[in-house]
């Protein structure tokens, strides 16, 4: 229950920071918001007992990429206008998350039989049948997701 | 626990793709790509914790993602510096002005 609460709080913070990031006039503040998101992911890794990855995440993303991005943006400071469509961002993010979550939930509910992997020879055999079927089944939602992304990009171009 | 982490990773990846769809600013597109990579890292780490593997393959994949993210930002900031001299408002729909 505590884990669920932690992940829920992290998700809400991610959503709030992302909304602020893509509604910001100022690219420098947007870069700082991205650094906060990377810092939050580092805290998430620490909560998942992956301390080394958390420290490396802190060094690479927060200490390296975000600072370089901030310095690059700050050297050419301009805060003229909003550059994102907020409604399009929220709608597309929710829609994409729903599509991906549906795919993930389907993969949780339709699981392979673990007994077939107990014997080493069966692993070789199962690659020819079950994995091929799973691959073909997963190809359909993958293509559908790409089509949705392309269609939403087209709609965004039409609106703007 | 892996389910929660996977959903968080998917949420981050969705936010990144939605940012690419809805943004026109150069830096916002880069940040959207970085957020997508962040989602991929969260997903990979959740699998790493689930599988409890110590063979180093997942860690090398993480290093690859970090390297790609860092290189992407370096290249993009360099292009940003160049673009500043040509296009004042950094709208990616005006990238054709960089020709020649």
């Amino acid at each position: 229950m505590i884990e669920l609460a932690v992940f829920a709080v992290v998700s809400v913070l991610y959503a709030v920071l992302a909304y602020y990031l893509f509604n910001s006039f100022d690219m420098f503040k947007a870069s700082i918001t991205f650094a906060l998101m990377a810092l939050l992911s580092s805290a998430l890794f620490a909560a998942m007992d992956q301390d080394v990855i958390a420290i490396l995440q802190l060094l690479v993303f927060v200490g390296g990429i975000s600072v370089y991005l901030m310095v690059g943006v700050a050297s050419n400071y301009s805060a003229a206008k909003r550059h994102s469509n907020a409604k399009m961002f929220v709608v597309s993010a929710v829609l994409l998350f729903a599509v991906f979550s549906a795919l993930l939930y389907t993969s949780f509910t339709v699981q392979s039989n673990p007994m077939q992997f107990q014997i080493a020879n069966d692993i070789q055999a199962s690659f020819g049948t079950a994995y091929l079927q799973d691959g073909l089944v997963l190809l359909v939602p993958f293509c559908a997701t790409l089509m949705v992304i392309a269609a939403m990009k087209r709609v965004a171009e039409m609106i703007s | 626990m892996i389910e929660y982490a996977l959903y968080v990773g998917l949420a981050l990846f969705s936010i990144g793709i939605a940012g690419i769809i809805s943004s026109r600013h150069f830096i916002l597109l880069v940040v959207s790509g970085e957020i997508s990579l962040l989602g991929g890292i969260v997903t990979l780490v959740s699998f790493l914790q689930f599988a409890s593997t110590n063979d180093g393959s997942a860690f090398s994949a993480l290093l690859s993602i970090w390297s790609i993210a860092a290189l992407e930002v370096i290249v993009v900031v360099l292009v940003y510096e160049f673009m500043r001299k040509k296009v004042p408002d950094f709208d990616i729909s005006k990238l054709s002005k960089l020709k020649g």
Side-chain angles (χ1 to χ4, degrees):
Chain A
M1 196 64 186
I2 296 175
E3 293 172 350
L4 179 61
V6 169
F7 280 102
V9 169
V10 167
S11 302
V12 170
L13 284 175
Y14 271 136
V16 171
L17 288 174
Y19 187 76
Y20 179 75
L21 195 153
F22 289 106
N23 275 305
S24 165
F25 286 84
D26 192 346
M27 288 301 110
F28 187 65
K29 290 180 181 176
S31 302
I32 294 175
T33 311
F34 171 70
L36 287 177
M37 290 182 76
L39 186 65
L40 195 60
S41 69
S42 178
L44 182 67
F45 294 150
M48 292 166 68
D49 296 329
Q50 300 285 346
D51 297 332
V52 178
I53 295 175
I55 292 171
L56 284 175
Q57 173 79 9
L58 201 64
L59 290 175
V60 174
F61 262 90
V62 182
I65 293 175
S66 300
V67 170
Y68 192 70
L69 201 58
M70 277 186 269
V71 169
V73 172
S75 62
N76 301 307
Y77 191 77
S78 66
K81 59 182 180 180
R82 183 177 286 129
H83 298 279
S84 292
N85 189 343
K87 291 179 182 176
M88 177 60 65
F89 170 71
V90 172
V91 169
S92 54
V94 170
L95 194 59
L96 282 169
F97 182 64
V99 170
F100 289 140
S101 299
L103 293 176
L104 184 64
Y105 183 74
T106 308
S107 68
F108 282 151
T109 53
V110 183
Q111 290 180 348
S112 302
N113 183 12
M115 294 295 290
Q116 61 183 335
F117 297 114
Q118 285 190 350
I119 303 174
N121 292 330
D122 288 343
I123 296 175
Q124 184 78 25
S126 61
F127 263 101
T129 57
Y131 272 63
L132 182 62
Q133 291 174 4
D134 290 345
L136 288 175
V137 168
L138 286 175
L139 192 64
V140 177
F142 178 71
C143 294
T145 308
L146 287 182
M147 287 171 61
V148 166
I149 292 173
M152 291 174 70
K153 183 72 176 172
R154 180 66 181 159
V155 170
E157 288 174 358
M158 288 171 63
I159 290 176
S160 62
Chain B
M1 185 172 177
I2 183 176
E3 293 92 349
Y4 307 145
L6 285 178
Y7 281 118
V8 171
L10 278 183
L12 275 176
F13 187 75
S14 305
I15 286 170
I17 299 295
I20 291 174
I21 290 172
S22 63
S23 301
R24 300 179 75 180
H25 195 278
F26 205 59
I27 293 297
L28 282 182
L29 287 175
V30 179
V31 170
S32 304
E34 298 290 332
I35 292 173
S36 297
L37 287 173
L38 213 57
I41 290 173
V42 171
T43 307
L44 190 59
V45 169
S46 64
F47 273 115
L48 177 70
Q49 193 185 24
F50 175 70
S52 299
T53 176
N54 290 321
D55 59 352
S57 58
F59 196 73
S60 57
L62 276 174
L63 285 179
S64 306
I65 295 175
W66 281 324
S67 307
I68 291 170
L71 287 173
E72 177 192 344
V73 170
I74 289 169
V75 170
V76 160
V77 169
L78 287 177
V79 175
Y80 182 87
E81 295 278 346
F82 179 73
M83 197 173 170
R84 180 178 65 90
K85 301 171 185 173
K86 297 286 183 180
V87 185
D89 57 356
F90 303 105
D91 192 339
I92 57 162
S93 62
K94 298 173 183 174
L95 275 179
S96 60
K97 289 186 178 179
L98 293 177
K99 285 191 295 188

